[in-house]
Amino acid sequence: MQESSRRKSSRRRDKDPFCVIHKVPSGDTPYVRAKHAQAINAGDRIDSALKDMAVVMKQLNRTEEAIEAIKSFRGLCSKQAQEPLDNVLIDLYKKCGRMDQQIDLLKQKLRLIYQGEAFNGKPTKTARSHGKKFQVSIKQETSRILGNLGWAYMQKSKFIAAEVVYKKAQMIDPDANKACNLARCLIKQARNVEAHLVLNEVLQGKLLGSKDCQTQNRAQELMLELEPKWLPPPETVKITRFDLEDDFIDELEKLLNEWSPLRTKRLPIFEEISSYRNQLPS
């Protein structure tokens, strides 16, 4: 009797979370996929159902299917569910290497922020991480999205574009991880003096997250990469921290063709960086 109970308990644990929550069978047969779709179409907690199913499919390395599922069913979800679904899509695009789609969606999220439509028009939202709730501000979200956009540009070897968005992100909400990525962009452009200064800020503990062991190790590795290269004495170096250099302004203008955000419902954070708004790459 106890052995039978243990077997049943084990089978329940082995089931996909989506199947347990929505009482549908597990597996990968046409019948199972049809039952999953039926649960969503029937409106069975549709917002969470679709998100849960996409997360489970990602865990099963069925990323492309998860993307198609979100695209097929998101029209049935509430307006409030669209932003979380976008976040899931961005993660899925990243996992399967669809950088162009990831970039397009990140830019779309930036446009919504600029228009005052993110967070359903509120200045903050409640997020969850490791079971804990915390508040995220528009300022923090903008910096996070810009950081993700910079990473995506790096994967496409567009280091000038990545540099611009990383600098903008650091202007808004600086941290050590984005600083290391910015340094990498500068190194790729052979701008080693600037990279050295950025990395020094991390190694000297001046940025949020600087004391993280993994970040410190990464900054040290990047510094070692710079060591064989010539560096002038520190007192001869003068740099405006987040200015845009003239040598890539022409390239940025080519990237601007599709960037035309509306000027409605401007939020305070965009007033702070208005002089840089038109330099965000497309």
Side-chain angles (χ1 to χ4, degrees), residues 75 92-93 179 191 199 229:
L92 292 170
Y93 286 146
R191 289 160 58 191
L199 291 171
K229 302 176 175 67

Side-chain angles (χ1 to χ4, degrees), residues 107 110 146 149 153 161 164-165 168 244 252 255-256 259 276-282:
K107 290 193 297 182
L110 286 171
L146 285 169
L149 183 58
Y153 277 130
V164 172
V165 293
K168 288 173 69 68
L244 299 174
L252 286 175
L255 297 171
L256 284 173
W259 182 255
Y276 292 86
R277 178 176 59 81
N278 291 330
Q279 292 147 4
L280 186 64
S282 58

Side-chain angles (χ1 to χ4, degrees), residues 156-173:
K156 293 177 67 67
S157 298
K158 294 186 176 181
F159 298 110
I160 292 174
E163 177 200 349
V164 172
V165 293
Y166 274 127
K167 284 182 174 180
K168 288 173 69 68
Q170 290 295 78
M171 286 172 58
I172 298 168
D173 191 32

Side-chain angles (χ1 to χ4, degrees), residues 262-276:
L262 300 178
R263 295 175 177 270
T264 58
K265 300 181 182 177
R266 287 175 63 113
L267 294 168
I269 184 58
F270 286 99
E271 296 294 346
E272 295 176 22
I273 60 171
S274 60
S275 62
Y276 292 86

Side-chain angles (χ1 to χ4, degrees), residues 38-186:
Q38 184 181 34
I40 291 175
N41 276 321
D44 181 14
R45 293 164 59 183
I46 185 167
D47 293 355
S48 60
L50 180 56
K51 184 178 176 182
D52 292 344
M53 184 172 73
V55 170
V56 169
M57 293 172 85
K58 177 189 171 186
Q59 292 170 348
L60 296 173
N61 291 319
R62 291 162 54 188
T63 309
E64 296 287 348
E65 291 177 71
I67 291 170
E68 292 310 311
I70 290 178
K71 288 182 175 180
S72 297
F73 294 112
R74 69 181 305 167
L76 302 174
C77 297
S78 66
K79 182 180 179 180
Q80 290 74 19
Q82 300 306 314
E83 188 176 336
L85 288 174
D86 280 343
N87 291 334
V88 175
L89 264 181
I90 287 169
D91 193 37
L92 292 170
Y93 286 146
K94 180 178 179 180
K95 182 175 174 64
C96 65
R98 290 166 65 167
M99 293 297 109
D100 288 333
Q101 289 93 331
Q102 184 185 5
I103 288 170
D104 287 342
L105 192 48
L106 287 166
K107 290 193 297 182
Q108 178 182 319
K109 289 177 75 67
L110 286 171
R111 289 188 180 100
L112 289 176
I113 291 175
Y114 184 82
Q115 295 164 12
E117 297 177 13
F119 296 4
N120 295 311
K122 298 177 181 178
T124 62
K125 73 172 181 179
T126 302
R128 295 175 182 269
S129 179
H130 305 293
K132 295 182 179 180
K133 292 183 179 180
F134 57 96
Q135 292 295 307
V136 177
S137 68
I138 285 287
K139 181 177 180 179
Q140 292 169 322
E141 180 72 353
T142 303
S143 181
R144 184 187 71 81
I145 294 172
L146 285 169
N148 288 340
L149 183 58
W151 183 90
Y153 277 130
M154 286 180 69
Q155 306 317 300
K156 293 177 67 67
S157 298
K158 294 186 176 181
F159 298 110
I160 292 174
E163 177 200 349
V164 172
V165 293
Y166 274 127
K167 284 182 174 180
K168 288 173 69 68
Q170 290 295 78
M171 286 172 58
I172 298 168
D173 191 32
D175 67 51
N177 182 57
K178 291 195 292 287
C180 287
N181 288 339
L182 173 58
R184 166 60 65 189
C185 292
L186 294 168

